[in-house]
Amino acid sequence: MLVTSKELFKQAQEKNCAIPAPNFIDVESMKCHVETAEKLDVPVIIALAESHIELISLEEAALNGKYLAEQASIPVVLHLDHGMTPSIIKKAIDLGFSSVMIDASQDDFETNVKKTKEIIAYAHPKGVVVEAEIGHVGSGVNYENHAQTDSKYTTVEDAKNFIKATGVDSLAISIGTAHGMYKGVPEINFERLKEIAEAVDTPLVLHGGSSSGDANLKRCGLEGIAKINIFSDLVNAAMKNIQQQNPDNYLDVKQAANIGMKDCLTHYFDVFETQKLKTNF
């Protein structure tokens, strides 16, 4: 069933677990994520980043995502990830995405608030929830504990003031992760997570989950993070399984990739201790 993340996050907070938000880049990966969640009987947030709409259009994603969600026996959120362009975010809302992210985290505080409020004003009357980011989760490849990233930690005051100013449904915070892969395991600022989680009631989400370390991510779910985004690990697992299986035809390549992604996502459902949640809402 197609749902918003609002009630799911509330339950995840109560149960001290996190829900994976695996990114998809085509219908095949979208199906893999939903099928994996359905096999485990747990909810999932399937996410399309704005940067990937050249691989699958918003129209294709909405049509197929809604169909898969409506056919599934578990709650499925269809989410636009890292929306940078207001017109694209609004188009996703109109097409039937149940959740969107407005990422204005690289703007100054006031501009971030203004852009977020604009999207909320458009989304909420249509029953769509909105995620935003305060602080900044950097991106790149092969960081060693983020010494070279442009990540900026979220402060407690900024989180409180941003939520008060916008009424956003969920908030992505920066506590030490980055998008992409690492040479080592990142150092997560769990003290900052604790401070923010105690200061706000709004569900918190974490970007840059791939290769952040199972122990780190498990602890994040236990200590206040309701959603963790995963992408790089999924595509790397797909490629690794292709190389291990060494298939000699296209159909076997696809099957090997799908198995690799499903196994990786299954692993993260376990790490995040994702639980079956109520669906009577």
Side-chain angles (χ1 to χ4, degrees):
M1 64 199 74
L2 181 67
V3 301
T4 73
S5 57
K6 189 169 186 177
E7 182 64 27
L8 294 183
F9 285 166
K10 180 181 177 181
Q11 292 183 61
Q13 286 180 303
E14 293 171 350
K15 293 178 179 290
N16 298 115
C17 68
I19 303 170
N23 284 98
F24 63 86
I25 54 173
D26 53 21
V27 176
E28 196 78 18
S29 52
M30 182 193 298
K31 288 176 65 178
C32 282
H33 303 337
V34 174
E35 288 173 358
T36 302
E38 194 158 29
K39 182 178 180 179
L40 298 172
D41 197 21
V42 289
V44 69
I45 299 160
I46 54 173
L48 173 67
E50 180 179 323
S51 61
H52 289 150
I53 60 175
E54 62 185 27
L55 301 174
I56 179 172
S57 70
L58 284 176
E59 290 85 356
E60 291 175 288
L63 182 65
N64 288 282
K66 288 188 294 183
Y67 173 78
L68 289 173
E70 288 162 0
Q71 297 300 309
S73 59
I74 44 95
V76 178
V77 178
L78 179 59
H79 176 69
L80 179 70
D81 193 28
H82 288 290
M84 305 283 190
T85 311
S87 60
I88 290 176
I89 300 172
K90 292 176 180 178
K91 184 177 181 181
I93 293 168
D94 291 338
L95 287 169
F97 279 67
S98 59
S99 173
V100 295
M101 178 189 186
I102 166 65
D103 184 358
S105 61
Q106 296 192 66
D107 292 320
D108 59 64
F109 184 88
E110 291 74 19
T111 303
N112 193 347
V113 167
K114 181 180 179 181
K115 289 183 177 180
T116 301
K117 289 177 69 174
E118 176 189 350
I119 297 302
I120 288 173
Y122 193 85
H124 279 184
K126 301 175 186 294
V128 176
V129 298
V130 179
E131 172 189 332
E133 182 173 318
I134 191 72
H136 179 61
V137 178
S139 61
V141 186
N142 293 332
Y143 295 142
E144 183 70 48
N145 290 331
H146 305 307
Q148 301 176 35
T149 72
D150 59 348
S151 295
K152 178 184 176 183
Y153 277 178
T154 304
T155 68
V156 178
E157 285 305 306
D158 276 353
K160 290 170 60 178
N161 293 334
F162 187 83
I163 290 168
K164 182 178 180 180
T166 62
V168 72
D169 298 294
S170 61
L171 185 66
I173 59 172
S174 177
I175 54 173
T177 57
H179 298 105
M181 304 300 291
Y182 310 91
K183 289 181 180 177
V185 178
E187 296 176 2
I188 306 298
N189 190 335
F190 286 105
E191 183 61 30
R192 182 62 54 84
L193 171 57
K194 179 181 178 182
E195 292 169 351
I196 296 173
E198 289 178 347
V200 305
D201 293 326
T202 300
L204 304 175
V205 306
L206 186 70
H207 289 256
S210 288
S211 74
S212 291
D214 289 356
N216 279 339
L217 296 177
K218 182 182 289 288
R219 186 174 172 185
C220 283
L222 290 171
E223 297 187 12
I225 296 294
K227 182 193 82 164
I228 301 175
N229 283 39
I230 299 290
F231 176 60
S232 297
D233 277 355
L234 294 170
V235 292
N236 287 340
M239 192 64 204
K240 183 178 179 180
N241 201 48
I242 291 172
Q243 293 169 339
Q244 289 177 339
Q245 298 300 321
N246 193 26
D248 59 6
N249 66 76
Y250 178 65
L251 292 179
D252 287 345
V253 168
K254 286 169 64 70
Q255 183 180 33
N258 292 346
I259 291 172
M261 278 194 291
K262 287 182 176 182
D263 287 348
C264 181
L265 183 55
T266 297
H267 169 75
Y268 277 120
F269 274 117
D270 179 59
V271 171
F272 302 166
E273 298 189 10
T274 311
Q275 300 180 38
K276 181 177 181 178
L277 303 177
K278 297 176 183 177
T279 57
N280 56 337
F281 54 89

